[in-house]
Amino acid sequence: QVQLVESGGGSVQPGGSLRLSCKASGVTYSRYSMAWFRQTPGSQREGVAFIDSEGMPKYADSVKGRFTISKDNVDNTLYLHMYNLQPEDTAMYYCAGDVSWTMLTTGRATNWGQGTQVTVSS
């Protein structure tokens, strides 16, 4: 059974940084493509960052240059480093697995974590 468990959300001021983590179990992690999505109330889920099984990252335009996705195949953990956070980054962030870039652009994935809240305000 696949399990994805996020951690690391919280509240920061504009310009601040956070690191989200997602521990995966029940998968062959080294062959697993993963992604981060985010969602605000009343809005559709938005894919923000993707990493394939080879470790190649891809980003949505809204976070390019500010967010970095990485994957630790020893620790089975996915990370999202977020820099220069802005109020519009406030959302529930979800880790997802068994996903392609095409799926990400339409808000879809096979496996989901429970989400971790990120709030950016002064």
Side-chain angles (χ1 to χ4, degrees), residues 35-120:
W36 289 96
F37 292 76
R38 64 186 181 188
Q39 189 172 26
T40 55
S43 298
Q44 287 192 336
R45 196 165 286 183
E46 175 194 16
V48 296
F50 164 82
I51 189 164
D52 68 14
S53 58
E54 308 273 317
M56 188 67 66
K58 230 174 160 178
Y59 301 94
D61 289 342
S62 58
V63 305
K64 206 173 286 185
R66 299 188 301 119
F67 289 13
T68 300
I69 188 171
S70 61
K71 190 170 174 275
D72 185 336
N73 288 341
V74 173
D75 200 32
N76 286 11
T77 303
L78 179 74
Y79 297 101
L80 186 68
H81 288 81
M82 304 183 293
Y83 306 97
N84 190 24
L85 283 160
Q86 300 300 316
E88 54 267 32
D89 296 314
T90 295
M92 184 72 79
Y93 282 72
Y94 296 90
C95 166
D98 192 9
V99 57
S100 66
W101 175 254
T102 300
M103 291 169 72
L104 179 139
T105 61
T106 57
R108 296 178 294 126
T110 303
N111 307 122
W112 294 95
Q114 82 288 351
T116 185
Q117 179 68 37
V118 171
T119 302
V120 185

